[in-house]
Amino acid sequence: MEALLNLAAGFEIAISPYNLLIAAVGVFLGVIIGVLPGLGGTSGVAILLPLTFTMPPTSAIVFLSCIYWGALFGGAITSILFNIPGEPWSVAVMFDGYPMARGGRAGQALALAFIPGFLAAFIAILLFTFFAPPLAEIALRFGPPETFAILLLAFSTFTGLGRGSPMKTIASAALGFILASVGLDIVTGQPRLTFDVIILLSGFSFITASIGAFGVGEILQSAEERLEFRGAQGKVGLRDLWLTVRQTGRCIGTFITGTVLGFWIGVLPGTGATPASFMAYGLAKQYSRHPEKFGSGAPEGIISTQSAAQSAGIGALLPMVTLGIPGSPTAAVMLGGLYIWGLTPGPALFVEQKDFVWGLIASMYIGNAMGVLLCLFLVPLFAAVLRVPAPILTPLIILLSAIGAYAVKNTTLDVWLLLVFGALGYIFKKLNYPLAPFVVALVLGDMTEEALRQSLIMSGGSLTIFFTRPIAAIGVAIALVLFFLPALAPLARRLLRSARPAAAPGS
């Protein structure tokens, strides 16, 4: 009851004319930031943080958080329409969103991203409202072995449930891990695979790699086949929204799994929406009745990734407010803002700065509602962009991609790497190598290595730590089964075929 009273007081603060205006501006800027390739919510929040120095703390956090919500919605737009990730997490939504758009269902694909994403955010906000302190304490008990087990499970789904060659999948992921290891060693600080090139000390940006491999690679392939960029044509109407609601109802298990998993991954310190979206996609594929449809326009693929990303965005703010530990890079930027505004995060914040905390929570409801309405109203505009003639649209996409790659580190090297990864993506497609494992390994490689090495340090180099902790043991066991599934499945079929004739005489 006390939480409801505090939330009502928070809404009184959030719906003040000034805060509503701030929220609307933040959501609009966030959608634009999410649409632009390579910029991302973290960069957008960091760039616009100085604008909050003259605002009251409550208005400032409303502004920054609404930028984040808008970016989470906007990132799906370019991923679905152009196969170019607007946000790092939106790489996963491309896997099925773009094929669906290419199949003439661009409006439905966008609606599948926006509506389940909004519903997932709403559920996550409810969890934030009523269970913030206990969830934050539980998250702190989730150590490196458990994190590694979940990440291993995410990779195993590509091998065990993929439609192509398992060896090609493993080779693709291995190349991603190799490129992710370029730079400074995360434990010793020594250079790795830099070949004395100073600029490689910071490693390869997975944003540049994703934009190049998927976006530029797609354009190169389209230029070879039809000499044009094949933008999907889409007309959005009420029928798309109705089909989305029905589809979400049919995939309710996928939706709930993505929402809960995303929120939990977001609560874990230092994770965020990117690993949550990939893990949710892997689980959805693993437990789907038709895993072979993933990658060709499966609605479950869009629902799982978007619901996980939106709920992870909410969950990432929970440890920031309750413990002073950011749950994502964007939350880390916001945490810096809290100190600049003279606030000290922690449990005492709920007592000493109730207006700030509950104003933030109320703004989550308002900001996400604004985000989904804004995107739904602008869907016809974004779908109309696809009708721009290819000779005009293709150079614009290349230009935006180059700007996005340059914005990552402000170096021309990333622009050249964009073209290199574009050529690599083209080669992968020609040789039928899957791009998804490569990009996922590049995105999550550092996090996976860090969790593995921290676990081994904890156990003195013994792998038994992954089998003596219950959560880690379950995750590793399932992952190992999936890794060996391509080899075990033919053997099991042969055993069944040999057993049937033997059973026939006695029947």
Side-chain angles (χ1 to χ4, degrees):
M1 187 65 183
E2 182 181 358
L4 292 175
L5 294 175
N6 289 329
L7 183 61
F11 269 106
E12 289 184 12
I13 298 169
I15 63 175
S16 66
Y18 179 72
N19 285 338
L20 276 179
L21 176 62
I22 286 292
V25 172
V27 169
F28 181 75
L29 292 175
V31 172
I32 295 175
I33 288 168
V35 167
L36 294 176
L39 191 53
T42 303
S43 301
V45 170
I47 293 170
L48 298 175
L49 177 63
L51 297 180
T52 67
F53 293 166
T54 59
M55 298 180 185
T58 303
S59 301
I61 195 65
V62 167
F63 178 65
L64 295 182
S65 62
C66 285
I67 292 174
Y68 190 24
W69 314 142
L72 286 172
F73 281 110
I77 295 172
T78 46
S79 296
I80 291 173
L81 298 185
F82 302 109
N83 204 35
I84 298 175
E87 285 264 348
W89 65 264
S90 62
V91 172
V93 84
M94 292 191 308
F95 300 158
D96 287 284
Y98 183 65
M100 182 178 287
R102 282 272 307 278
R105 295 182 292 165
Q108 186 181 352
L110 288 167
L112 278 169
F114 298 148
I115 294 178
F118 167 71
L119 295 175
F122 183 80
I123 294 172
I125 299 169
L126 289 176
L127 294 173
F128 192 114
T129 303
F130 297 103
F131 304 105
L135 282 173
E137 293 178 6
I138 295 173
L140 289 180
R141 301 175 186 174
F142 206 86
E146 289 77 14
T147 302
F148 175 77
I150 291 178
L151 292 169
L152 187 66
L153 187 60
F155 287 109
S156 67
T157 56
F158 287 104
T159 304
L161 302 175
R163 292 179 296 170
S165 166
M167 294 309 299
K168 287 185 176 181
T169 300
I170 293 173
S172 177
L175 180 60
F177 277 119
I178 291 172
L179 294 181
S181 66
V182 174
L184 295 176
D185 187 286
I186 59 175
V187 175
T188 65
Q190 296 298 315
R192 295 188 303 189
L193 302 177
T194 58
F195 305 102
D196 296 325
V197 179
I198 295 177
I199 201 168
L200 291 180
L201 289 175
S202 57
F204 293 109
S205 167
F206 62 82
I207 297 176
T208 302
S210 301
I211 295 174
F214 285 101
V216 179
E218 176 70 25
I219 291 174
L220 290 175
Q221 187 179 27
S222 300
E224 179 196 35
E225 294 178 1
R226 297 187 181 181
L227 298 178
E228 64 175 3
F229 176 69
R230 295 172 293 176
Q233 296 293 329
K235 184 177 180 181
V236 181
L238 293 176
R239 183 173 179 272
D240 294 312
L241 302 180
W242 169 242
L243 288 175
T244 296
V245 173
R246 289 180 58 188
Q247 188 65 56
T248 305
R250 286 197 291 264
C251 302
I252 190 66
T254 299
F255 169 74
I256 293 175
T257 301
T259 301
V260 174
L261 175 67
F263 183 75
W264 180 247
I265 296 299
V267 170
L268 298 177
T271 50
T274 303
S277 62
F278 285 114
M279 293 176 195
Y281 184 85
L283 285 177
K285 185 176 181 180
Q286 178 180 347
Y287 293 105
S288 172
R289 295 180 180 177
H290 304 284
E292 70 281 355
K293 293 183 179 180
F294 278 68
S296 59
E300 295 166 277
I302 303 175
I303 292 173
S304 61
T305 54
Q306 189 72 13
S307 60
Q310 291 286 153
S311 58
I314 302 296
L317 298 188
L318 192 150
M320 181 197 77
V321 174
T322 58
L323 300 170
I325 301 172
S328 69
T330 308
V333 177
M334 293 185 187
L335 179 64
L338 260 66
Y339 288 113
I340 292 173
W341 306 325
L343 301 177
T344 302
L349 199 65
F350 282 79
V351 179
E352 299 171 0
Q353 299 288 341
K354 292 177 66 173
D355 290 348
F356 174 85
V357 173
W358 291 102
L360 167 63
I361 294 174
S363 72
M364 293 179 183
Y365 292 94
I366 296 172
N368 277 279
M370 286 183 175
V372 70
L373 291 175
L374 178 66
C375 287
L376 286 175
F377 281 123
L378 293 181
V379 160
L381 174 64
F382 291 121
V385 171
L386 299 173
R387 301 185 182 92
V388 176
I392 298 175
L393 186 61
T394 301
L396 286 176
I397 292 173
I398 294 291
L399 176 62
L400 284 176
S401 299
I403 293 172
Y406 182 82
V408 175
K409 300 176 185 176
N410 295 326
T411 63
T412 54
L413 175 64
D414 281 310
V415 179
W416 290 108
L417 287 175
L418 175 79
L419 301 178
V420 172
F421 283 115
L424 183 65
Y426 168 77
I427 294 171
F428 267 47
K429 291 180 180 180
K430 295 297 290 184
L431 299 178
N432 291 322
Y433 275 77
L435 271 173
F438 165 73
V439 175
V440 172
L442 190 58
V443 172
L444 302 181
D446 285 343
M447 187 181 300
T448 305
E449 181 189 2
E450 183 179 8
L452 173 62
R453 295 179 70 175
Q454 286 178 344
S455 301
L456 294 177
I457 291 172
M458 290 169 58
S459 64
S462 174
L463 293 175
T464 57
I465 190 171
F466 297 112
F467 301 97
T468 56
R469 297 167 69 119
I471 297 177
I474 294 172
V476 170
I478 297 174
L480 290 176
V481 170
L482 290 175
F483 272 124
F484 290 106
L485 188 61
L488 295 176
L491 178 61
R493 284 194 293 267
R494 282 197 296 268
L495 290 175
L496 287 174
R497 282 197 297 266
S498 62
R500 283 171 186 166
S507 59

